[in-house]
Amino acid sequence: MFLSLYITIMMIDFATTSYYLLKISKKNMGILFLFYSLVCIFLIVSDSFTSSSVMMHHLCSPTEAFALLHFKQSFQISDFRRCLDVTDLQYVDIPKTKSWNEGRDCCSWDGVTCDLFTGHVIELDLGCSLLNGAIHPNSSLFQLHHLHTLNLAYNDFNISSIPHSIGRLTNLRHLNLSRSSFSGKIPTEISHLFNLVSLDLSDNYDGLQLDETTFETILQNLTNLESFFLVPKLENLKLGDNDLLKGVLPKIHPSNTTLLELDISNSGISGELPDSIGTFSSLDILNLKGCQFSGSIPDSIGNITQIRYLDFSYYHLTGHIPSTISKLKHLTILGLSSNSFSGEIPDYFSNLQELSYLDLSNNSFIGSFPSTIVSLTHLQHLHLSSNSLSGPLPNNFSMLQKLTQLGLWNNSLNGIIPSSLFSLPLLGELWLNNNRFSGLPNELKINPNFERLSLSHNQLSDFFPQSLVNLTNLSNLDLSSNNITIDEGIQITFPSLQILKLSSCELKEFPHFLTNGKRLLFLDISNNKIRGKIPNWFRGIRWDNLRYLNLSHNSLTGHLPQFHFHNLEFLDLKFNSLQGPLPSSICNMNDLEFLDISRNNFSNSIPSCLGSMSSLKVLDLRRNNFTGSIPPLCAKSTSLITIVLNDNQFEGTLPFSLINCSNLEVADMGNNAINDTFPAWLGTLEELQVLILKSNLFHGPISSCQSTLCFPELRIFDLSHNQFSGSLPAKVFGNFKAMIKLDGEDTGKIRYMEPDMIPLYTSYEDSVSLVIKGQDIELERISTIMTTIDLSSNHFEGVIPKTLKDLSSLWLLNLSHNNLIGHIPMELGQLNKLEALDLSWNRLTGKIPRELTTMKFLAVLNLSQNLLIGSIPQGLQFNTFENDSYGGNLDLCGPPLSKQCGTSDSSHVPQPLESEDESYFFCGFTWESVVIGYSFGLVVGTVVWSLVFKYRKPEWFVEFFEGIYPKKMRRSMKRAQRRQT
Ligand SMILES: *[C@@H]1O[C@H](CO)[C@@H](O)[C@H](O)[C@H]1NC(C)=O
Ligand SMILES: *[C@@H]1O[C@H](CO)[C@@H](O)[C@H](O)[C@H]1NC(C)=O
Ligand SMILES: *[C@@H]1O[C@H](CO)[C@@H](O)[C@H](O)[C@H]1NC(C)=O
């Protein structure tokens, strides 16, 4: 009753105001009054009718209340308390259903809305209500026929499918089932919801599938549909696994669709972009980013004349952008990046005067910078990076008064960077890196808002650009890889500078202006020509924010000062000539994760506190002159992932504290003077992949592991040039599980770094130096297919164990220069990934087993200097080996040796070898010739599946160099790569 009175008053009020506002004539006013009076009478009558029914029932019908309660009871209330939204995080303590009880009118329950007049439940909002369980097809939910709005987003329906009975709720206008762990096929019955205005099925469990006919009927039947969201789960995108929604965009017939928003971005929908796209003529937003469409954009795109947001990025679209796009006069956001569009950037973008965001990056556009674009006065973001644009930039940017971000990196633009760019009042980020710009104007009126400027990898020369010195808000400056140096006298303040990258320039000294950089967080002046001692003023600096310091690849000398950078996380001093001891102040850097001081002349023993640094992940001390014993690494922490001590003069034994390094992946202690027995106890380190102990004073037999774990992940095992003795450790080999399975085929583990995942800091890649097929080669990256066992130059005795055959992924096996006896086991022929086998300089007897010819990748074979006899097997790879593979044996015959089989003089007894060197020449055998021999053959693999320590978290990262690896491998990697992208 009160309600209708209120409405009546409101209406009268409205009518009178309308009168004044619209100055309605008196006659019309009379008609209006009559109309309103009729409405009021109707309202009062109907209201008294409903009020009387209120007196008889609850406002909410008991059947509906019962249905709701029943629905509630069909779920568990889960205990996770977070509803993760892409944009914000909601925390839920009390589920909405908590207020649901029979004692109260159901219309007052949380999340329930009833029709004011009929009392029917018309809205059910249980978004983010901690519901857990499946919705049964007979669920009481489907008795709520009057529902207009149903929101079940952000719950957990337990990977169940969307029940087909949803089609019974024919009054639904808004249906939101997003982010709720639904899976399976989207039921066709959804297309029975004729009144649907918005439909959101985004971000559900992996398997939500939309078949083509359902999609087609949805678009065809739901003529009121205005928005349709079907974006798959975000986490899955990161894995690049976007085959979640299979199907193609249906070819719908010209119809009167009213769809305003269609977002099926990143779904697996594929095929050619249909010409019928133009029939969605009412669209305001079309987001097809990251779909799998191919072909070109159809001309009909020009029919969607109302569209404001169009995103076709990350496709396989080719050809030219159709000129009809110029009809889309309301476009404000246009994303066409990461396709294969070619030709010049067309002029007709200049018709899109509303554009505020234009992204054409990562295509194959050629020609010069499109001068017409500078007339788009609303433009805020412009990205043309990673194309093949060339020539100089125009100097008429002054119309782009709203531009805040300009990305032109990775093109071939040249000339002087125009001054009009810098004076744009709102421009804050300018990315011009990886071009051929040769300079900046001498005088620049730079807007003070400038924050980020990247000019790296250009051809700037001479001195630090004078025109940049007044950028008071600059926080991020990258000038690396240019030919610039810094004028001593230059006055630069940069009070806001946080990130400064000046690597690979021509700096001759530490830039003195850094004394002003109080907020510096990241400083990279690596790879310059800085000579001499670290200057005193730099020693004295206190940068409390500094996290990253890279001074590597210079010619720094003298002692390392006690730095005052207590918050440093990353310190790289490699490739300098620093000397003296490592100051213990390093250990005060509690957050230090990465310490690389390799390839210097540091000496003395290293501070034992290094073993207690709780954040340290990478410790690389290789190629210095450190002496003394290895400190107790991992004494108080388990963070170390990589320890490289190679090529120093460490003595004593391996510290037993290493057994705590549970995250250790790489342990390289080679080329020192460590006097110890085999550390079988390291076998318990479950992550250890690389163990290099070569060229030390290790001795004694290889004892088997005492625990069940025995180097389960080991791939590189190098004990060469020690004094190990006893028989070959057949049992230990048998436990090398990583060598038994082949990781290269297990692509599930391998992920690709995406551009936005590249950490702020650089990545450290583990590198080791191995004798690969006779040459000491520093591997820049360690691949997981490089499984090697090198036990050469020790005193091993006895026979070659047959069980070696089980190490099926073995890539290189070197047992040379030992005292091995017996036959070459024919089982070795089963090592079908083996590329190099060296058994030379032993006392092996018998014939060369024919089975070895089945090793189809074998590129290097050295069986020389043994006591082998008989004919050399022929065929396959064996036809590629030459004399030097067999020299110095007792009685081998047949090609490639000149000695023919069956003609030998049986009385002939070969002379025992006087010394190794003589026989070396006697055989005409040198490692170099071997290297040359195979470099035309099956090539040395260097970079494949890499073991990379990424600064923030270690992860498998894959990269490979074209042309180095055998074709077959390359193809399979490309396939893997394509699967990922
Ligand atoms: C579109 O709407 C018009 C007028 O409402 C109607 O005549 C026509 O049949 C409709 N077209 C289709 C394909 O439904
Ligand atoms: C849509 O675009 C195509 C190609 O530009 C054109 O031939 C067709 O007439 C257009 N249809 C409508 C309804 O405007
Ligand atoms: C290694 O250590 C043992 C015992 O500690 C010692 O007898 C031996 O001489 C050492 N070897 C070398 C080469 O220094």
Side-chain angles (χ1 to χ4, degrees):
M1 194 66 178
F2 282 123
L3 181 77
S4 32
L5 270 178
Y6 176 71
I7 291 175
T8 318
I9 293 163
M10 287 287 289
M11 285 196 164
I12 293 169
D13 192 38
F14 173 72
T16 30
T17 29
S18 318
Y19 170 73
Y20 290 112
L21 283 175
L22 304 173
K23 295 200 174 71
I24 314 171
S25 69
K26 272 219 176 111
K27 189 175 145 208
N28 287 347
M29 189 68 187
I31 295 169
L32 255 179
F33 247 101
L34 185 67
F35 170 71
Y36 284 123
S37 316
L38 282 172
V39 170
C40 293
I41 291 163
F42 168 76
L43 278 172
I44 291 166
V45 171
S46 67
D47 189 50
S48 56
F49 176 73
T50 37
S51 321
S52 61
S53 64
V54 167
M55 276 173 255
M56 286 182 283
H57 315 283
H58 281 282
L59 191 54
C60 152
S61 87
T63 17
E64 289 184 336
F66 181 75
L68 284 169
L69 282 175
H70 211 262
F71 182 62
K72 167 189 169 179
Q73 280 151 13
S74 66
F75 297 102
Q76 293 184 319
I77 301 300
S78 64
D79 50 4
F80 79 92
R81 302 183 152 217
R82 233 175 24 171
C83 297
L84 203 56
D85 199 323
V86 182
T87 46
D88 63 335
L89 213 56
Q90 296 175 32
Y91 287 90
V92 185
D93 288 326
I94 307 162
K96 289 177 187 156
T97 50
K98 188 141 195 210
S99 64
W100 294 15
N101 63 61
E102 283 160 282
R104 289 173 58 201
D105 172 19
C106 83
C107 297
S108 69
W109 295 351
D110 268 1
V112 179
T113 309
C114 298
D115 186 283
L116 276 176
F117 301 115
T118 64
H120 289 303
V121 175
I122 53 167
E123 252 184 73
L124 184 57
D125 178 2
L126 288 179
C128 197
S129 293
L130 312 178
L131 301 181
N132 186 354
I135 304 181
H136 194 268
N138 290 335
S139 166
S140 56
L141 173 69
F142 305 115
Q143 294 164 15
L144 303 170
H145 296 292
H146 300 278
L147 279 181
H148 287 176
T149 301
L150 177 61
N151 179 9
L152 298 176
Y154 293 104
N155 285 293
D156 183 2
F157 295 110
N158 239 337
I159 321 177
S160 61
S161 46
I162 299 173
H164 58 81
S165 342
I166 194 83
R168 305 220 299 261
L169 299 177
T170 48
N171 284 311
L172 274 183
R173 292 179 204 161
H174 303 283
L175 177 59
N176 188 349
L177 301 179
S178 66
R179 300 161 185 90
S180 279
S181 300
F182 279 116
S183 74
K185 249 175 127 175
I186 296 172
T188 348
E189 285 78 3
I190 271 197
S191 61
H192 300 169
L193 304 176
F194 295 106
N195 291 308
L196 222 48
V197 174
S198 71
L199 174 60
D200 191 349
L201 302 175
S202 310
D203 206 354
N204 267 296
Y205 199 74
D206 303 14
L208 205 51
Q209 292 157 21
L210 178 63
D211 68 41
E212 201 180 333
T213 41
T214 308
F215 197 2
E216 192 166 336
T217 35
I218 287 175
L219 294 176
Q220 201 74 52
N221 293 359
L222 307 188
T223 50
N224 295 310
L225 199 62
E226 289 181 358
S227 67
F228 186 14
F229 294 95
L230 201 62
V231 190
K233 220 176 156 106
L234 273 172
E235 291 119 68
N236 297 321
L237 297 181
K238 296 230 170 83
L239 298 179
D241 182 10
N242 44 18
D243 291 351
L244 308 179
L245 284 158
K246 299 238 161 59
V248 297
L249 194 65
K251 292 185 173 44
I252 63 161
H253 308 289
S255 73
N256 305 329
T257 124
T258 52
L259 204 60
L260 289 175
E261 249 174 286
L262 179 63
D263 188 343
I264 50 172
S265 54
N266 298 307
S267 59
I269 288 176
S270 62
E272 296 229 333
L273 199 56
D275 201 36
S276 61
I277 194 87
T279 54
F280 295 98
S281 55
S282 54
L283 279 177
D284 181 33
I285 294 178
L286 178 59
N287 190 351
L288 304 183
K289 180 177 176 172
C291 289
Q292 307 281 313
F293 292 115
S294 53
S296 50
I297 300 182
D299 284 345
S300 67
I301 196 81
N303 297 355
I304 315 179
T305 50
Q306 298 304 311
I307 198 154
R308 288 183 302 141
Y309 181 119
L310 181 59
D311 199 339
F312 280 139
S313 32
Y314 299 96
Y315 271 47
H316 308 291
L317 296 175
T318 53
H320 297 264
I321 296 169
S323 60
T324 52
I325 212 160
S326 63
K327 292 193 205 159
L328 310 182
K329 300 234 187 296
H330 299 289
L331 265 185
T332 56
I333 292 180
L334 179 56
L336 298 174
S337 75
S338 303
N339 282 290
S340 305
F341 292 120
S342 53
E344 298 202 2
I345 294 179
D347 277 348
Y348 32 78
F349 284 113
S350 59
N351 292 343
L352 308 178
Q353 278 297 328
E354 303 279 309
L355 272 186
S356 75
Y357 178 101
L358 177 60
D359 189 352
L360 304 176
S361 61
N362 212 356
N363 279 291
S364 305
F365 288 116
I366 54 165
S368 53
F369 180 90
S371 54
T372 48
I373 279 186
V374 298
S375 67
L376 299 173
T377 52
H378 287 88
L379 220 48
Q380 294 175 18
H381 296 256
L382 177 58
H383 295 282
L384 304 177
S385 47
S386 298
N387 279 292
S388 302
L389 302 179
S390 54
L393 287 178
N395 194 9
N396 55 354
F397 283 94
S398 52
M399 283 167 84
L400 300 176
Q401 292 284 309
K402 294 186 175 165
L403 200 67
T404 61
Q405 217 181 50
L406 177 59
L408 298 176
W409 70 83
N410 245 339
N411 279 291
S412 304
L413 298 165
N414 61 21
I416 304 283
I417 300 165
S419 55
S420 61
L421 205 49
F422 289 91
S423 52
L424 297 177
L426 300 179
L427 194 64
E429 296 183 27
L430 181 56
W431 308 91
L432 301 177
N433 45 302
N434 300 73
N435 276 291
R436 294 180 193 158
F437 290 115
S438 55
L440 287 152
N442 288 332
E443 299 255 318
L444 276 183
K445 200 179 137 291
I446 300 184
N447 96 66
N449 301 317
F450 230 91
E451 282 182 17
R452 288 152 187 260
L453 176 60
S454 180
L455 292 170
S456 71
H457 294 91
N458 274 292
Q459 291 163 6
L460 308 184
S461 53
D462 302 326
F463 291 114
F464 187 93
Q466 180 72 40
S467 39
L468 294 180
V469 301
N470 292 327
L471 291 172
T472 47
N473 278 331
L474 199 65
S475 72
N476 186 339
L477 178 62
D478 187 355
L479 292 173
S480 47
S481 298
N482 280 292
N483 295 324
I484 53 171
T485 179
I486 292 187
D487 180 5
E488 269 180 72
I490 197 165
Q491 291 297 313
I492 313 176
T493 44
F494 293 147
S496 311
L497 202 61
Q498 294 188 322
I499 296 177
L500 178 61
K501 298 184 186 176
L502 280 168
S503 70
S504 306
C505 291
E506 299 281 318
L507 303 190
K508 304 252 169 7
E509 31 188 63
F510 278 68
H512 195 265
F513 71 85
L514 292 175
T515 43
N516 302 319
K518 306 239 178 326
R519 299 170 64 180
L520 218 54
L521 188 115
F522 184 108
L523 176 62
D524 186 353
I525 49 173
S526 63
N527 208 0
N528 275 287
K529 301 194 166 128
I530 307 176
R531 301 193 158 273
K533 295 185 171 178
I534 296 175
N536 277 334
W537 62 263
F538 192 81
R539 296 162 181 234
I541 266 174
R542 285 181 183 274
W543 282 323
D544 288 337
N545 291 329
L546 198 69
R547 300 278 189 279
Y548 178 105
L549 179 59
N550 192 344
L551 307 176
S552 66
H553 294 273
N554 278 294
S555 305
L556 300 176
T557 54
H559 287 219
L560 187 66
Q562 309 265 7
F563 284 130
H564 299 289
F565 311 134
H566 296 310
N567 293 316
L568 215 54
E569 294 174 7
F570 184 108
L571 179 58
D572 192 346
L573 302 172
K574 67 172 172 270
F575 285 104
N576 277 292
S577 304
L578 294 164
Q579 32 170 285
L582 188 64
S584 59
S585 67
I586 290 266
C587 301
N588 299 336
M589 297 175 180
N590 290 327
D591 297 329
L592 198 66
E593 293 186 19
F594 177 100
L595 178 62
D596 189 346
I597 58 168
S598 63
R599 292 116 169 155
N600 276 284
N601 297 324
F602 286 110
S603 55
N604 299 62
S605 55
I606 53 177
S608 63
C609 63
L610 274 183
S612 313
M613 297 186 70
S614 59
S615 302
L616 200 62
K617 290 181 174 161
V618 173
L619 176 64
D620 194 340
L621 309 178
R622 93 185 68 177
R623 297 209 207 152
N624 278 290
N625 297 315
F626 285 115
T627 53
S629 53
I630 300 171
L633 298 172
C634 293
K636 293 196 183 146
S637 82
T638 59
S639 55
L640 275 166
I641 293 172
T642 297
I643 301 173
V644 183
L645 308 179
N646 198 306
D647 212 346
N648 279 288
Q649 290 147 41
F650 287 112
E651 319 160 325
T653 57
L654 286 179
F656 195 65
S657 60
L658 286 173
I659 201 167
N660 302 327
C661 295
S662 54
N663 293 305
L664 197 64
E665 293 178 3
V666 176
D668 182 355
M669 321 289 177
N671 296 299
N672 279 290
I674 302 167
N675 180 356
D676 203 345
T677 53
F678 180 70
W681 42 273
L682 285 177
T684 56
L685 299 182
E686 290 184 62
E687 308 292 333
L688 192 65
Q689 298 178 36
V690 176
L691 178 61
I692 297 177
L693 303 176
K694 75 170 170 206
S695 301
N696 276 291
L697 305 170
F698 284 95
H699 51 83
I702 310 278
S703 46
S704 11
C705 303
Q706 299 300 319
S707 69
T708 46
L709 281 177
C710 194
F711 302 103
E713 286 296 319
L714 205 63
R715 312 166 187 282
I716 294 183
F717 184 51
D718 189 344
L719 304 183
S720 62
H721 297 274
N722 277 291
Q723 291 155 26
F724 285 114
S725 55
S727 57
L728 289 181
K731 244 181 140 176
V732 177
F733 292 157
N735 286 305
F736 290 170
K737 296 208 170 60
M739 298 201 193
I740 293 172
K741 68 178 196 285
L742 186 66
D743 244 28
E745 286 167 0
D746 174 20
T747 52
K749 251 180 132 176
I750 289 142
R751 301 203 181 133
Y752 290 82
M753 245 157 96
E754 291 178 8
D756 58 346
M757 289 162 66
I758 294 176
L760 172 67
Y761 304 148
T762 58
S763 63
Y764 170 83
E765 292 170 6
D766 287 302
S767 64
V768 292
S769 161
L770 290 178
V771 175
I772 296 184
K773 303 175 185 176
Q775 213 184 30
D776 204 343
I777 291 178
E778 178 122 353
L779 293 175
E780 287 283 309
R781 302 170 171 87
I782 304 168
S783 99
T784 63
I785 71 144
M786 289 179 193
T787 48
T788 69
I789 292 181
D790 191 342
L791 304 179
S792 62
S793 302
N794 278 288
H795 307 307
F796 288 114
E797 309 158 344
V799 298
I800 299 175
K802 293 188 174 86
T803 48
L804 269 177
K805 74 172 198 308
D806 297 329
L807 304 182
S808 52
S809 59
L810 204 57
W811 178 68
L812 186 150
L813 177 62
N814 189 349
L815 303 176
S816 67
H817 294 269
N818 279 294
N819 293 316
L820 302 177
I821 55 167
H823 291 216
I824 299 172
M826 62 182 184
E827 288 81 359
L828 289 189
Q830 296 173 29
L831 294 173
N832 56 16
K833 299 286 190 284
L834 204 65
E835 290 191 27
L837 175 62
D838 191 344
L839 303 175
S840 64
W841 296 97
N842 279 293
R843 294 155 187 274
L844 299 171
T845 52
K847 291 182 156 191
I848 300 172
R850 172 154 304 280
E851 285 75 7
L852 296 193
T853 59
T854 60
M855 292 191 277
K856 54 184 180 293
F857 292 116
L858 198 64
V860 177
L861 176 70
N862 193 350
L863 303 177
S864 65
Q865 311 299 342
N866 277 293
L867 306 168
L868 300 168
I869 57 165
S871 63
I872 294 171
Q874 304 297 315
L876 302 167
Q877 284 305 106
F878 267 65
N879 291 348
T880 66
F881 304 134
E882 304 196 2
N883 290 359
D884 43 22
S885 291
Y886 310 105
N889 273 291
L890 193 62
D891 200 7
L892 283 175
C893 62
L897 300 177
S898 52
K899 181 178 173 187
Q900 295 189 0
C901 295
T903 63
S904 72
D905 177 358
S906 55
S907 65
H908 169 79
V909 176
Q911 296 299 306
L913 302 165
E914 291 293 313
S915 79
E916 293 195 351
D917 279 337
E918 269 188 42
S919 59
Y920 206 78
F921 292 114
F922 167 76
C923 305
F925 165 91
T926 61
W927 274 122
E928 265 162 53
S929 64
V930 175
V931 174
I932 292 164
Y934 67 70
S935 62
F936 296 106
L938 270 177
V939 290
V940 189
T942 52
V943 181
V944 209
W945 313 99
S946 308
L947 173 63
V948 173
F949 170 75
K950 271 191 358 188
Y951 188 64
R952 281 292 165 195
K953 51 178 180 187
E955 213 173 332
W956 295 93
F957 168 50
V958 180
E959 197 177 308
F960 70 97
F961 289 133
E962 284 273 353
I964 300 177
Y965 223 72
K967 277 212 172 82
K968 183 172 169 250
M969 186 64 75
R970 224 161 48 217
R971 273 203 303 274
S972 67
M973 282 179 208
K974 280 207 159 153
R975 270 202 303 278
Q977 217 167 25
R978 269 204 301 275
R979 273 205 297 278
Q980 298 289 325
T981 45

